Amino acid sequence: MTTPSAPQTPEQQPAAPAKKGGALLKKVGGIVVAIIVAVAVKVGLPHLTGDAPVHAEAGECVTVTGPDNDPKVDTVDCSSGKPDLFKVVKVIDNTFDVNQCGEQLSALAQQLNSDKFVLCLEEVAAK
């Protein structure tokens, strides 16, 4: 006796060729998303964490903390009595030249996005 042969399976249809345009679109889309994320992190993260430079106005008070090569500036109430408290005497826009404040004032060059400026500071005596 002979064994019956296995049932014949229908032939599989050949796979549809992959669309080249779709793959290219995915690559370009991925690059665009990566660029958007990188820009958002670079620009937005310092503002969300409070590490962005402060563009204080003349008459406001700020505290300056951190190392000299990366100071952190925060706007505070002038009567706070905090250590490292300075009053902004003037703001000089479009420069990093700290010598424009003169010898009587402390100076701090800052950059906020594309704006560069110098804060001319006068120390507030601790109470």
Side-chain angles (χ1 to χ4, degrees), residues 30-55:
I31 292 170
V32 168
V33 168
I35 291 171
I36 290 171
V37 169
V39 168
V41 167
K42 176 76 174 161
V43 173
L45 192 59
H47 293 282
L48 293 175
T49 61
D51 291 337
V54 172
H55 197 313

mmCIF file with all atom_site columns, all heavy atoms in Angstrom, residues 30-55:
data_model
loop_
_atom_site.group_PDB
_atom_site.id
_atom_site.type_symbol
_atom_site.label_atom_id
_atom_site.label_alt_id
_atom_site.label_comp_id
_atom_site.label_asym_id
_atom_site.label_entity_id
_atom_site.label_seq_id
_atom_site.pdbx_PDB_ins_code
_atom_site.Cartn_x
_atom_site.Cartn_y
_atom_site.Cartn_z
_atom_site.occupancy
_atom_site.B_iso_or_equiv
_atom_site.pdbx_formal_charge
_atom_site.auth_seq_id
_atom_site.auth_comp_id
_atom_site.auth_asym_id
_atom_site.auth_atom_id
_atom_site.pdbx_PDB_model_num
ATOM 1   N N   . GLY A 1 30 ? 12.661 60.788 9.834  1.00 0.00 ? 30 GLY A N   1
ATOM 2   C CA  . GLY A 1 30 ? 13.437 60.490 11.040 1.00 0.00 ? 30 GLY A CA  1
ATOM 3   C C   . GLY A 1 30 ? 14.497 61.547 11.309 1.00 0.00 ? 30 GLY A C   1
ATOM 4   O O   . GLY A 1 30 ? 14.720 61.954 12.453 1.00 0.00 ? 30 GLY A O   1
ATOM 5   N N   . ILE A 1 31 ? 15.152 62.009 10.266 1.00 0.00 ? 31 ILE A N   1
ATOM 6   C CA  . ILE A 1 31 ? 16.175 63.048 10.420 1.00 0.00 ? 31 ILE A CA  1
ATOM 7   C C   . ILE A 1 31 ? 15.541 64.356 10.882 1.00 0.00 ? 31 ILE A C   1
ATOM 8   O O   . ILE A 1 31 ? 16.060 65.028 11.777 1.00 0.00 ? 31 ILE A O   1
ATOM 9   C CB  . ILE A 1 31 ? 16.957 63.237 9.100  1.00 0.00 ? 31 ILE A CB  1
ATOM 10  C CG1 . ILE A 1 31 ? 17.796 61.985 8.816  1.00 0.00 ? 31 ILE A CG1 1
ATOM 11  C CG2 . ILE A 1 31 ? 17.827 64.475 9.143  1.00 0.00 ? 31 ILE A CG2 1
ATOM 12  C CD1 . ILE A 1 31 ? 18.430 61.951 7.439  1.00 0.00 ? 31 ILE A CD1 1
ATOM 13  N N   . VAL A 1 32 ? 14.399 64.707 10.292 1.00 0.00 ? 32 VAL A N   1
ATOM 14  C CA  . VAL A 1 32 ? 13.716 65.949 10.674 1.00 0.00 ? 32 VAL A CA  1
ATOM 15  C C   . VAL A 1 32 ? 13.295 65.883 12.147 1.00 0.00 ? 32 VAL A C   1
ATOM 16  O O   . VAL A 1 32 ? 13.478 66.842 12.899 1.00 0.00 ? 32 VAL A O   1
ATOM 17  C CB  . VAL A 1 32 ? 12.504 66.215 9.750  1.00 0.00 ? 32 VAL A CB  1
ATOM 18  C CG1 . VAL A 1 32 ? 11.628 67.326 10.298 1.00 0.00 ? 32 VAL A CG1 1
ATOM 19  C CG2 . VAL A 1 32 ? 12.981 66.542 8.350  1.00 0.00 ? 32 VAL A CG2 1
ATOM 20  N N   . VAL A 1 33 ? 12.742 64.753 12.574 1.00 0.00 ? 33 VAL A N   1
ATOM 21  C CA  . VAL A 1 33 ? 12.331 64.600 13.972 1.00 0.00 ? 33 VAL A CA  1
ATOM 22  C C   . VAL A 1 33 ? 13.544 64.710 14.891 1.00 0.00 ? 33 VAL A C   1
ATOM 23  O O   . VAL A 1 33 ? 13.492 65.372 15.933 1.00 0.00 ? 33 VAL A O   1
ATOM 24  C CB  . VAL A 1 33 ? 11.595 63.259 14.182 1.00 0.00 ? 33 VAL A CB  1
ATOM 25  C CG1 . VAL A 1 33 ? 11.417 62.952 15.646 1.00 0.00 ? 33 VAL A CG1 1
ATOM 26  C CG2 . VAL A 1 33 ? 10.248 63.294 13.478 1.00 0.00 ? 33 VAL A CG2 1
ATOM 27  N N   . ALA A 1 34 ? 14.661 64.102 14.520 1.00 0.00 ? 34 ALA A N   1
ATOM 28  C CA  . ALA A 1 34 ? 15.873 64.180 15.348 1.00 0.00 ? 34 ALA A CA  1
ATOM 29  C C   . ALA A 1 34 ? 16.368 65.619 15.477 1.00 0.00 ? 34 ALA A C   1
ATOM 30  O O   . ALA A 1 34 ? 16.778 66.054 16.556 1.00 0.00 ? 34 ALA A O   1
ATOM 31  C CB  . ALA A 1 34 ? 16.967 63.299 14.750 1.00 0.00 ? 34 ALA A CB  1
ATOM 32  N N   . ILE A 1 35 ? 16.308 66.375 14.381 1.00 0.00 ? 35 ILE A N   1
ATOM 33  C CA  . ILE A 1 35 ? 16.738 67.774 14.430 1.00 0.00 ? 35 ILE A CA  1
ATOM 34  C C   . ILE A 1 35 ? 15.811 68.590 15.331 1.00 0.00 ? 35 ILE A C   1
ATOM 35  O O   . ILE A 1 35 ? 16.269 69.389 16.143 1.00 0.00 ? 35 ILE A O   1
ATOM 36  C CB  . ILE A 1 35 ? 16.804 68.367 13.003 1.00 0.00 ? 35 ILE A CB  1
ATOM 37  C CG1 . ILE A 1 35 ? 17.955 67.732 12.224 1.00 0.00 ? 35 ILE A CG1 1
ATOM 38  C CG2 . ILE A 1 35 ? 16.948 69.883 13.046 1.00 0.00 ? 35 ILE A CG2 1
ATOM 39  C CD1 . ILE A 1 35 ? 17.972 68.078 10.748 1.00 0.00 ? 35 ILE A CD1 1
ATOM 40  N N   . ILE A 1 36 ? 14.515 68.377 15.202 1.00 0.00 ? 36 ILE A N   1
ATOM 41  C CA  . ILE A 1 36 ? 13.553 69.117 16.038 1.00 0.00 ? 36 ILE A CA  1
ATOM 42  C C   . ILE A 1 36 ? 13.772 68.808 17.511 1.00 0.00 ? 36 ILE A C   1
ATOM 43  O O   . ILE A 1 36 ? 13.773 69.713 18.353 1.00 0.00 ? 36 ILE A O   1
ATOM 44  C CB  . ILE A 1 36 ? 12.109 68.796 15.604 1.00 0.00 ? 36 ILE A CB  1
ATOM 45  C CG1 . ILE A 1 36 ? 11.833 69.406 14.231 1.00 0.00 ? 36 ILE A CG1 1
ATOM 46  C CG2 . ILE A 1 36 ? 11.099 69.293 16.630 1.00 0.00 ? 36 ILE A CG2 1
ATOM 47  C CD1 . ILE A 1 36 ? 10.521 68.985 13.614 1.00 0.00 ? 36 ILE A CD1 1
ATOM 48  N N   . VAL A 1 37 ? 13.985 67.553 17.845 1.00 0.00 ? 37 VAL A N   1
ATOM 49  C CA  . VAL A 1 37 ? 14.223 67.174 19.240 1.00 0.00 ? 37 VAL A CA  1
ATOM 50  C C   . VAL A 1 37 ? 15.517 67.808 19.747 1.00 0.00 ? 37 VAL A C   1
ATOM 51  O O   . VAL A 1 37 ? 15.562 68.337 20.863 1.00 0.00 ? 37 VAL A O   1
ATOM 52  C CB  . VAL A 1 37 ? 14.251 65.638 19.388 1.00 0.00 ? 37 VAL A CB  1
ATOM 53  C CG1 . VAL A 1 37 ? 14.769 65.222 20.752 1.00 0.00 ? 37 VAL A CG1 1
ATOM 54  C CG2 . VAL A 1 37 ? 12.863 65.064 19.148 1.00 0.00 ? 37 VAL A CG2 1
ATOM 55  N N   . ALA A 1 38 ? 16.572 67.778 18.934 1.00 0.00 ? 38 ALA A N   1
ATOM 56  C CA  . ALA A 1 38 ? 17.844 68.355 19.359 1.00 0.00 ? 38 ALA A CA  1
ATOM 57  C C   . ALA A 1 38 ? 17.721 69.857 19.611 1.00 0.00 ? 38 ALA A C   1
ATOM 58  O O   . ALA A 1 38 ? 18.236 70.373 20.612 1.00 0.00 ? 38 ALA A O   1
ATOM 59  C CB  . ALA A 1 38 ? 18.920 68.087 18.300 1.00 0.00 ? 38 ALA A CB  1
ATOM 60  N N   . VAL A 1 39 ? 17.031 70.561 18.740 1.00 0.00 ? 39 VAL A N   1
ATOM 61  C CA  . VAL A 1 39 ? 16.846 72.011 18.915 1.00 0.00 ? 39 VAL A CA  1
ATOM 62  C C   . VAL A 1 39 ? 15.989 72.286 20.154 1.00 0.00 ? 39 VAL A C   1
ATOM 63  O O   . VAL A 1 39 ? 16.295 73.188 20.941 1.00 0.00 ? 39 VAL A O   1
ATOM 64  C CB  . VAL A 1 39 ? 16.223 72.641 17.649 1.00 0.00 ? 39 VAL A CB  1
ATOM 65  C CG1 . VAL A 1 39 ? 15.765 74.062 17.902 1.00 0.00 ? 39 VAL A CG1 1
ATOM 66  C CG2 . VAL A 1 39 ? 17.218 72.601 16.504 1.00 0.00 ? 39 VAL A CG2 1
ATOM 67  N N   . ALA A 1 40 ? 14.940 71.510 20.348 1.00 0.00 ? 40 ALA A N   1
ATOM 68  C CA  . ALA A 1 40 ? 14.077 71.713 21.514 1.00 0.00 ? 40 ALA A CA  1
ATOM 69  C C   . ALA A 1 40 ? 14.853 71.498 22.811 1.00 0.00 ? 40 ALA A C   1
ATOM 70  O O   . ALA A 1 40 ? 14.696 72.253 23.774 1.00 0.00 ? 40 ALA A O   1
ATOM 71  C CB  . ALA A 1 40 ? 12.875 70.774 21.449 1.00 0.00 ? 40 ALA A CB  1
ATOM 72  N N   . VAL A 1 41 ? 15.703 70.486 22.842 1.00 0.00 ? 41 VAL A N   1
ATOM 73  C CA  . VAL A 1 41 ? 16.501 70.224 24.043 1.00 0.00 ? 41 VAL A CA  1
ATOM 74  C C   . VAL A 1 41 ? 17.506 71.345 24.260 1.00 0.00 ? 41 VAL A C   1
ATOM 75  O O   . VAL A 1 41 ? 17.673 71.841 25.368 1.00 0.00 ? 41 VAL A O   1
ATOM 76  C CB  . VAL A 1 41 ? 17.214 68.856 23.933 1.00 0.00 ? 41 VAL A CB  1
ATOM 77  C CG1 . VAL A 1 41 ? 18.276 68.704 25.001 1.00 0.00 ? 41 VAL A CG1 1
ATOM 78  C CG2 . VAL A 1 41 ? 16.188 67.736 24.029 1.00 0.00 ? 41 VAL A CG2 1
ATOM 79  N N   . LYS A 1 42 ? 18.167 71.786 23.206 1.00 0.00 ? 42 LYS A N   1
ATOM 80  C CA  . LYS A 1 42 ? 19.191 72.836 23.319 1.00 0.00 ? 42 LYS A CA  1
ATOM 81  C C   . LYS A 1 42 ? 18.588 74.158 23.770 1.00 0.00 ? 42 LYS A C   1
ATOM 82  O O   . LYS A 1 42 ? 19.137 74.844 24.626 1.00 0.00 ? 42 LYS A O   1
ATOM 83  C CB  . LYS A 1 42 ? 19.891 73.005 21.958 1.00 0.00 ? 42 LYS A CB  1
ATOM 84  C CG  . LYS A 1 42 ? 20.903 74.107 21.903 1.00 0.00 ? 42 LYS A CG  1
ATOM 85  C CD  . LYS A 1 42 ? 22.158 73.724 22.586 1.00 0.00 ? 42 LYS A CD  1
ATOM 86  C CE  . LYS A 1 42 ? 23.209 74.807 22.378 1.00 0.00 ? 42 LYS A CE  1
ATOM 87  N NZ  . LYS A 1 42 ? 24.261 74.754 23.307 1.00 0.00 ? 42 LYS A NZ  1
ATOM 88  N N   . VAL A 1 43 ? 17.450 74.522 23.206 1.00 0.00 ? 43 VAL A N   1
ATOM 89  C CA  . VAL A 1 43 ? 16.846 75.821 23.501 1.00 0.00 ? 43 VAL A CA  1
ATOM 90  C C   . VAL A 1 43 ? 15.930 75.759 24.708 1.00 0.00 ? 43 VAL A C   1
ATOM 91  O O   . VAL A 1 43 ? 15.961 76.624 25.569 1.00 0.00 ? 43 VAL A O   1
ATOM 92  C CB  . VAL A 1 43 ? 16.070 76.336 22.269 1.00 0.00 ? 43 VAL A CB  1
ATOM 93  C CG1 . VAL A 1 43 ? 15.292 77.591 22.590 1.00 0.00 ? 43 VAL A CG1 1
ATOM 94  C CG2 . VAL A 1 43 ? 17.026 76.594 21.126 1.00 0.00 ? 43 VAL A CG2 1
ATOM 95  N N   . GLY A 1 44 ? 15.107 74.733 24.788 1.00 0.00 ? 44 GLY A N   1
ATOM 96  C CA  . GLY A 1 44 ? 14.080 74.682 25.822 1.00 0.00 ? 44 GLY A CA  1
ATOM 97  C C   . GLY A 1 44 ? 14.531 74.169 27.167 1.00 0.00 ? 44 GLY A C   1
ATOM 98  O O   . GLY A 1 44 ? 14.055 74.615 28.203 1.00 0.00 ? 44 GLY A O   1
ATOM 99  N N   . LEU A 1 45 ? 15.445 73.229 27.204 1.00 0.00 ? 45 LEU A N   1
ATOM 100 C CA  . LEU A 1 45 ? 15.838 72.615 28.461 1.00 0.00 ? 45 LEU A CA  1
ATOM 101 C C   . LEU A 1 45 ? 16.426 73.605 29.460 1.00 0.00 ? 45 LEU A C   1
ATOM 102 O O   . LEU A 1 45 ? 16.051 73.583 30.631 1.00 0.00 ? 45 LEU A O   1
ATOM 103 C CB  . LEU A 1 45 ? 16.807 71.456 28.197 1.00 0.00 ? 45 LEU A CB  1
ATOM 104 C CG  . LEU A 1 45 ? 17.089 70.540 29.369 1.00 0.00 ? 45 LEU A CG  1
ATOM 105 C CD1 . LEU A 1 45 ? 15.795 69.902 29.877 1.00 0.00 ? 45 LEU A CD1 1
ATOM 106 C CD2 . LEU A 1 45 ? 18.058 69.445 28.970 1.00 0.00 ? 45 LEU A CD2 1
ATOM 107 N N   . PRO A 1 46 ? 17.332 74.494 29.061 1.00 0.00 ? 46 PRO A N   1
ATOM 108 C CA  . PRO A 1 46 ? 17.839 75.457 30.043 1.00 0.00 ? 46 PRO A CA  1
ATOM 109 C C   . PRO A 1 46 ? 16.738 76.322 30.648 1.00 0.00 ? 46 PRO A C   1
ATOM 110 O O   . PRO A 1 46 ? 16.779 76.663 31.829 1.00 0.00 ? 46 PRO A O   1
ATOM 111 C CB  . PRO A 1 46 ? 18.823 76.315 29.242 1.00 0.00 ? 46 PRO A CB  1
ATOM 112 C CG  . PRO A 1 46 ? 19.251 75.436 28.131 1.00 0.00 ? 46 PRO A CG  1
ATOM 113 C CD  . PRO A 1 46 ? 18.051 74.603 27.800 1.00 0.00 ? 46 PRO A CD  1
ATOM 114 N N   . HIS A 1 47 ? 15.724 76.667 29.863 1.00 0.00 ? 47 HIS A N   1
ATOM 115 C CA  . HIS A 1 47 ? 14.639 77.494 30.386 1.00 0.00 ? 47 HIS A CA  1
ATOM 116 C C   . HIS A 1 47 ? 13.762 76.703 31.348 1.00 0.00 ? 47 HIS A C   1
ATOM 117 O O   . HIS A 1 47 ? 13.263 77.248 32.325 1.00 0.00 ? 47 HIS A O   1
ATOM 118 C CB  . HIS A 1 47 ? 13.794 78.064 29.241 1.00 0.00 ? 47 HIS A CB  1
ATOM 119 C CG  . HIS A 1 47 ? 14.550 79.055 28.417 1.00 0.00 ? 47 HIS A CG  1
ATOM 120 N ND1 . HIS A 1 47 ? 14.767 80.339 28.832 1.00 0.00 ? 47 HIS A ND1 1
ATOM 121 C CD2 . HIS A 1 47 ? 15.171 78.939 27.218 1.00 0.00 ? 47 HIS A CD2 1
ATOM 122 C CE1 . HIS A 1 47 ? 15.478 80.990 27.929 1.00 0.00 ? 47 HIS A CE1 1
ATOM 123 N NE2 . HIS A 1 47 ? 15.746 80.155 26.936 1.00 0.00 ? 47 HIS A NE2 1
ATOM 124 N N   . LEU A 1 48 ? 13.570 75.432 31.076 1.00 0.00 ? 48 LEU A N   1
ATOM 125 C CA  . LEU A 1 48 ? 12.751 74.605 31.953 1.00 0.00 ? 48 LEU A CA  1
ATOM 126 C C   . LEU A 1 48 ? 13.457 74.304 33.265 1.00 0.00 ? 48 LEU A C   1
ATOM 127 O O   . LEU A 1 48 ? 12.815 74.200 34.305 1.00 0.00 ? 48 LEU A O   1
ATOM 128 C CB  . LEU A 1 48 ? 12.388 73.294 31.249 1.00 0.00 ? 48 LEU A CB  1
ATOM 129 C CG  . LEU A 1 48 ? 11.459 73.416 30.043 1.00 0.00 ? 48 LEU A CG  1
ATOM 130 C CD1 . LEU A 1 48 ? 11.283 72.060 29.371 1.00 0.00 ? 48 LEU A CD1 1
ATOM 131 C CD2 . LEU A 1 48 ? 10.118 73.991 30.445 1.00 0.00 ? 48 LEU A CD2 1
ATOM 132 N N   . THR A 1 49 ? 14.769 74.160 33.234 1.00 0.00 ? 49 THR A N   1
ATOM 133 C CA  . THR A 1 49 ? 15.518 73.836 34.441 1.00 0.00 ? 49 THR A CA  1
ATOM 134 C C   . THR A 1 49 ? 15.981 75.075 35.192 1.00 0.00 ? 49 THR A C   1
ATOM 135 O O   . THR A 1 49 ? 16.530 74.967 36.274 1.00 0.00 ? 49 THR A O   1
ATOM 136 C CB  . THR A 1 49 ? 16.752 72.979 34.105 1.00 0.00 ? 49 THR A CB  1
ATOM 137 O OG1 . THR A 1 49 ? 17.609 73.715 33.229 1.00 0.00 ? 49 THR A OG1 1
ATOM 138 C CG2 . THR A 1 49 ? 16.353 71.663 33.461 1.00 0.00 ? 49 THR A CG2 1
ATOM 139 N N   . GLY A 1 50 ? 15.761 76.246 34.624 1.00 0.00 ? 50 GLY A N   1
ATOM 140 C CA  . GLY A 1 50 ? 16.175 77.477 35.295 1.00 0.00 ? 50 GLY A CA  1
ATOM 141 C C   . GLY A 1 50 ? 17.637 77.810 35.089 1.00 0.00 ? 50 GLY A C   1
ATOM 142 O O   . GLY A 1 50 ? 18.176 78.670 35.778 1.00 0.00 ? 50 GLY A O   1
ATOM 143 N N   . ASP A 1 51 ? 18.324 77.151 34.159 1.00 0.00 ? 51 ASP A N   1
ATOM 144 C CA  . ASP A 1 51 ? 19.736 77.401 33.925 1.00 0.00 ? 51 ASP A CA  1
ATOM 145 C C   . ASP A 1 51 ? 19.992 78.436 32.839 1.00 0.00 ? 51 ASP A C   1
ATOM 146 O O   . ASP A 1 51 ? 21.126 78.697 32.481 1.00 0.00 ? 51 ASP A O   1
ATOM 147 C CB  . ASP A 1 51 ? 20.459 76.104 33.537 1.00 0.00 ? 51 ASP A CB  1
ATOM 148 C CG  . ASP A 1 51 ? 20.541 75.150 34.710 1.00 0.00 ? 51 ASP A CG  1
ATOM 149 O OD1 . ASP A 1 51 ? 20.452 75.613 35.858 1.00 0.00 ? 51 ASP A OD1 1
ATOM 150 O OD2 . ASP A 1 51 ? 20.691 73.934 34.477 1.00 0.00 ? 51 ASP A OD2 1
ATOM 151 N N   . ALA A 1 52 ? 18.951 79.019 32.286 1.00 0.00 ? 52 ALA A N   1
ATOM 152 C CA  . ALA A 1 52 ? 19.115 80.019 31.238 1.00 0.00 ? 52 ALA A CA  1
ATOM 153 C C   . ALA A 1 52 ? 19.611 81.321 31.860 1.00 0.00 ? 52 ALA A C   1
ATOM 154 O O   . ALA A 1 52 ? 19.262 81.657 32.989 1.00 0.00 ? 52 ALA A O   1
ATOM 155 C CB  . ALA A 1 52 ? 17.792 80.262 30.527 1.00 0.00 ? 52 ALA A CB  1
ATOM 156 N N   . PRO A 1 53 ? 20.440 82.060 31.137 1.00 0.00 ? 53 PRO A N   1
ATOM 157 C CA  . PRO A 1 53 ? 20.900 83.342 31.664 1.00 0.00 ? 53 PRO A CA  1
ATOM 158 C C   . PRO A 1 53 ? 19.725 84.290 31.907 1.00 0.00 ? 53 PRO A C   1
ATOM 159 O O   . PRO A 1 53 ? 18.724 84.220 31.218 1.00 0.00 ? 53 PRO A O   1
ATOM 160 C CB  . PRO A 1 53 ? 21.798 83.882 30.552 1.00 0.00 ? 53 PRO A CB  1
ATOM 161 C CG  . PRO A 1 53 ? 22.147 82.711 29.725 1.00 0.00 ? 53 PRO A CG  1
ATOM 162 C CD  . PRO A 1 53 ? 21.010 81.756 29.847 1.00 0.00 ? 53 PRO A CD  1
ATOM 163 N N   . VAL A 1 54 ? 19.887 85.146 32.892 1.00 0.00 ? 54 VAL A N   1
ATOM 164 C CA  . VAL A 1 54 ? 18.851 86.117 33.232 1.00 0.00 ? 54 VAL A CA  1
ATOM 165 C C   . VAL A 1 54 ? 19.187 87.436 32.572 1.00 0.00 ? 54 VAL A C   1
ATOM 166 O O   . VAL A 1 54 ? 20.292 87.938 32.710 1.00 0.00 ? 54 VAL A O   1
ATOM 167 C CB  . VAL A 1 54 ? 18.764 86.289 34.766 1.00 0.00 ? 54 VAL A CB  1
ATOM 168 C CG1 . VAL A 1 54 ? 17.837 87.420 35.123 1.00 0.00 ? 54 VAL A CG1 1
ATOM 169 C CG2 . VAL A 1 54 ? 18.308 84.998 35.403 1.00 0.00 ? 54 VAL A CG2 1
ATOM 170 N N   . HIS A 1 55 ? 18.249 87.988 31.827 1.00 0.00 ? 55 HIS A N   1
ATOM 171 C CA  . HIS A 1 55 ? 18.445 89.301 31.227 1.00 0.00 ? 55 HIS A CA  1
ATOM 172 C C   . HIS A 1 55 ? 17.751 90.303 32.148 1.00 0.00 ? 55 HIS A C   1
ATOM 173 O O   . HIS A 1 55 ? 16.647 90.764 31.875 1.00 0.00 ? 55 HIS A O   1
ATOM 174 C CB  . HIS A 1 55 ? 17.876 89.348 29.811 1.00 0.00 ? 55 HIS A CB  1
ATOM 175 C CG  . HIS A 1 55 ? 18.396 90.514 29.013 1.00 0.00 ? 55 HIS A CG  1
ATOM 176 N ND1 . HIS A 1 55 ? 18.439 91.795 29.492 1.00 0.00 ? 55 HIS A ND1 1
ATOM 177 C CD2 . HIS A 1 55 ? 18.919 90.569 27.770 1.00 0.00 ? 55 HIS A CD2 1
ATOM 178 C CE1 . HIS A 1 55 ? 18.942 92.603 28.582 1.00 0.00 ? 55 HIS A CE1 1
ATOM 179 N NE2 . HIS A 1 55 ? 19.246 91.871 27.524 1.00 0.00 ? 55 HIS A NE2 1
#
